[in-house]
Amino acid sequence: MSNFDFNFAPDVRPLAARMRPNVLAEYCGQQHLLAQDKPLYQAILSGHYHSMILWGPPGTGKTTLAQLIAHHATAQFIQLSAVTAGVKEIRESVQQAKNSLQHGQRTLLFVDEVHRFNKSQQDAFLPHIEDGTFLFVGATTENPSFALNNAILSRTRVYVLKSLTDDDLLQVINRALIQDPILSTLQISMDEKARGALCAAAQGDARKALNLLEQSVDLAQSIAGKKVIDSQVLEHVLPSHFAKYDKGGDEFYDLISAFHKSVRGSAPDAALYWYCRILAGGGDPLYVARRLLAIATEDIGNADPRAMQVALNAWDIFQRVGPSEGERAIAQATLYLASAPKSNAVYTAFNQAKHDAAHLPSYPVPEHLRNAPTQIMKELGFGAQYRYAHDEVGAFAAGENYFPEILKTKHYYQPTDRGLEKQIKDKLDYLASQNNQSENKRYDSN
């Protein structure tokens, strides 16, 4: 007869499910909302709650946060997914909440992917939110301003959840290795570089980080009684993300340098190659997006002002739709900026003006440029003889000086003859000639 204990039920849930926090103290990330001095943190701990929308990328803890709110409020937790639920499931949930309320039990209704519900389905929740049948918590990866009805938004508060940082993910991984009832019984050896590689590959997603950790444990070889997770294991688990450089090390900065110099040098193919090398090495695409914004102002400037908007749009697309399409948007911005006309005139002018502002004396503002909101100031001559540009021919007060008198001949901005800056240069040259004519007329009249 078998000695197998049929009453023993091993926990077969994935690691990410086993490690879902049970109390707020175990929750990682979102410190902009859940630091101990934040109102939302205090409200959850005290059991006070309000209906809300949780907006953020996958794996940032939206479901977990809703469960923790229910836990601290001693409310039953009902979960719907807008992917699979319809009107029937909504009605059943409402009735369940009403029945519980009759027995003094509060309910938190959590709706995942709430943006997938159509207008009429979203409207079905409204009267029950208003009469307190349940606390409504919706989770979405889409911008609520566009994805949800105004009626829902007017009855809820929107909280933005951010992608987890590498430090957050490292905390998640370390906690799993120590506290998980299965992993904690194994002798797992995993060095700092391997943990960093997992964090980089997870791209701010805690669920992904734990799934990758679980796969790594499954593939790890036992050496001297220990499960060793090393580079060989990670190359199988992270074939397209394994970090081929130490994040923050020399090779990382070499790749970023090569990328920046390729964009600056108007070499779009090379820029795209280095960008893909960064991605293949587990680099953060948003680091590249930030670098593109720097390039837009440092190396392109007013030769093509659209470069700044293109870089911003790529960043925004990545945050709205996630890595798959977002990485492509950053690639598009890379190619645009690499192909754009180049000028460092803005960068140079700004640095020179900053230097003068910091090191020259604090010259007083000329009286004709000063603000004169009171009669006394007007009597002192503040604002007197100021020429309102819109009253002048061509909306330009030729010969007017806007500098302190001692600096009136300063010229910081020297536009190039490339791209839009050529037109700016022509315009400024024309205005300079108008100023010269005005000065000559004033000299002749004296």
Side-chain angles (χ1 to χ4, degrees):
M1 186 174 182
S2 172
N3 291 325
F4 184 79
D5 184 359
F6 288 95
N7 293 321
F8 174 72
D11 193 343
V12 296
R13 294 176 300 163
L15 176 61
R18 299 198 304 269
M19 291 308 299
R20 194 180 292 278
N22 295 313
V23 293
L24 197 56
E26 296 175 345
Y27 190 89
C28 292
Q30 315 309 330
Q31 289 302 292
H32 64 293
L33 298 176
L34 296 172
Q36 293 186 10
D37 61 340
K38 297 297 183 181
L40 181 59
Y41 178 89
Q42 298 294 336
I44 294 172
L45 278 189
S46 64
H48 298 143
Y49 56 74
H50 49 268
S51 291
M52 64 185 71
I53 301 296
L54 303 177
W55 172 30
T60 50
K62 297 186 289 294
T63 303
T64 297
L65 183 55
Q67 290 179 342
L68 291 175
I69 293 172
H71 169 76
H72 285 282
T74 61
Q76 74 165 332
F77 184 82
I78 300 177
Q79 180 170 350
L80 293 179
S81 172
V83 177
T84 57
V87 174
K88 176 176 177 291
E89 288 76 17
I90 294 175
R91 289 174 178 169
E92 290 174 350
S93 298
V94 170
Q95 190 58 51
Q96 183 179 346
K98 286 182 176 180
N99 293 340
S100 298
L101 192 60
Q102 290 177 352
H103 295 88
Q105 175 68 56
R106 296 184 294 179
T107 297
L108 185 150
L109 177 62
F110 175 69
V111 181
D112 198 14
E113 303 286 340
V114 64
H115 60 275
R116 293 181 180 269
F117 275 143
N118 60 37
K119 183 180 185 302
S120 62
Q121 289 171 320
Q122 292 181 31
D123 288 344
F125 296 111
L126 299 179
H128 310 295
I129 296 174
E130 290 180 342
D131 66 16
T133 299
F134 47 67
L135 164 70
F136 180 85
V137 178
T140 179
T141 57
E142 304 294 327
N143 188 331
S145 300
F146 305 112
L148 299 181
N149 295 345
N150 287 333
I152 283 280
L153 293 176
S154 69
R155 292 162 175 82
T156 58
R157 188 175 301 173
V158 176
Y159 291 100
V160 180
L161 275 65
K162 301 178 181 179
S163 294
L164 273 64
T165 66
D166 284 357
D167 287 341
D168 294 330
L169 294 173
L170 187 59
Q171 185 179 346
V172 170
I173 290 172
N174 290 340
R175 177 172 165 263
L177 291 171
I178 296 171
Q179 298 183 11
D180 178 65
I182 295 176
L183 298 192
S184 61
T185 63
L186 306 173
Q187 295 292 320
I188 298 175
S189 174
M190 187 178 186
D191 63 22
E192 184 177 337
K193 182 178 179 181
R195 297 181 195 215
L198 278 184
C199 293
Q203 297 181 327
D205 185 329
R207 185 187 301 108
K208 186 174 181 180
L210 291 172
N211 288 341
L212 292 172
L213 174 60
E214 191 168 31
Q215 294 169 30
S216 300
V217 172
D218 290 340
L219 293 177
Q221 297 290 324
S222 292
I223 302 175
K226 291 185 177 182
K227 284 260 196 181
V228 178
I229 300 175
D230 55 15
S231 60
Q232 291 182 341
V233 172
L234 294 183
E235 283 174 352
H236 290 288
V237 176
L238 317 174
S240 61
H241 293 283
F242 179 65
K244 297 177 179 62
Y245 56 80
D246 292 326
K247 189 172 185 182
D250 291 340
E251 190 169 356
F252 170 76
Y253 289 109
D254 285 345
L255 290 175
I256 289 295
S257 177
F259 171 80
H260 191 145
K261 289 171 181 173
S262 297
V263 177
R264 177 189 291 152
S266 299
D269 294 318
L272 188 61
Y273 168 76
W274 293 120
Y275 170 52
C276 291
R277 277 283 303 276
I278 292 167
L279 294 181
D284 182 3
L286 288 181
Y287 189 98
V288 177
R290 287 191 291 272
R291 183 55 65 100
L292 286 173
L293 282 170
I295 292 171
T297 57
E298 178 182 346
D299 298 299
I300 298 174
N302 286 335
D304 188 350
R306 292 171 298 182
M308 192 184 304
Q309 189 59 54
V310 169
L312 279 171
N313 287 344
W315 187 323
D316 189 40
I317 289 170
F318 186 95
Q319 292 188 314
R320 287 175 183 268
V321 302
S324 181
E325 290 81 4
E327 288 176 1
R328 186 173 65 243
I330 295 173
Q332 179 177 340
T334 295
L335 294 173
Y336 183 92
L337 268 66
S339 305
K342 303 299 188 294
S343 169
N344 70 346
V346 170
Y347 177 74
T348 301
F350 181 55
N351 286 339
Q352 291 175 353
K354 277 203 307 182
H355 178 274
D356 283 357
H359 294 92
L360 294 180
S362 297
Y363 300 115
V365 175
E367 288 188 354
H368 70 288
L369 297 181
R370 294 189 186 186
N371 187 33
T374 68
Q375 186 60 37
I376 292 177
M377 291 178 173
K378 291 177 181 177
E379 291 173 357
L380 290 173
F382 291 2
Q385 299 180 3
Y386 167 66
R387 296 164 60 193
Y388 186 56
H390 293 288
D391 290 340
E392 304 282 338
V393 177
F396 178 65
E400 182 76 308
N401 173 43
Y402 297 94
F403 264 119
E405 187 66 25
I406 197 171
L407 298 178
K408 65 183 297 183
T409 60
K410 273 281 185 179
H411 289 285
Y412 296 117
Y413 183 40
Q414 304 290 339
T416 69
D417 58 358
R418 297 183 291 277
L420 180 64
E421 249 184 359
K422 184 179 187 306
Q423 298 178 43
I424 295 174
K425 183 177 185 300
D426 291 343
K427 174 68 178 297
L428 293 182
D429 287 346
Y430 168 74
L431 296 180
S433 69
Q434 296 290 99
N435 281 331
N436 290 335
Q437 290 179 22
S438 177
E439 285 292 325
N440 291 336
K441 288 180 181 178
R442 188 178 305 169
Y443 180 79
D444 292 342
S445 65
N446 292 331

